[in-house]
Amino acid sequence: MTSIIVRGLDESVKKQLAAQAKEHGRSMEAEVRDILTKAARKPHIGLALMQAAREAGGIDSLPIPERSDIARAVDFG
């Protein structure tokens, strides 16, 4: 198992982590480990969409429609 050191952590963050750990009935180290594990396992939405597009056959053959609208100035007055 790997260990890491986090330097420069704001005291308010440390206090919040300690409070969360107490609320969950575990050590601050266990709380941080759980937070990091969950964060690292979350799927990246951009990568998930790219993979879904690949599985659907890709996007290279999709037509790109011509723009026919004209940009309009907004009047906030």
Side-chain angles (χ1 to χ4, degrees), residues 47-59:
L47 295 176
L49 289 171
M50 188 170 65
Q51 183 61 33
R54 282 187 185 137
E55 290 171 5
I59 61 168

Side-chain angles (χ1 to χ4, degrees), residues 11-54:
E11 187 64 29
S12 65
V13 174
K14 183 180 174 186
K15 287 179 182 178
Q16 180 64 37
L17 289 170
Q20 283 179 222
K22 184 177 181 181
E23 183 179 312
H24 295 135
R26 55 186 168 207
S27 69
M28 196 163 71
E29 181 180 347
E31 184 70 16
V32 171
R33 187 181 306 113
D34 183 63
I35 291 168
L36 290 173
T37 300
K38 286 177 181 174
R41 291 185 178 158
K42 281 186 180 178
H44 185 282
I45 188 66
L47 295 176
L49 289 171
M50 188 170 65
Q51 183 61 33
R54 282 187 185 137

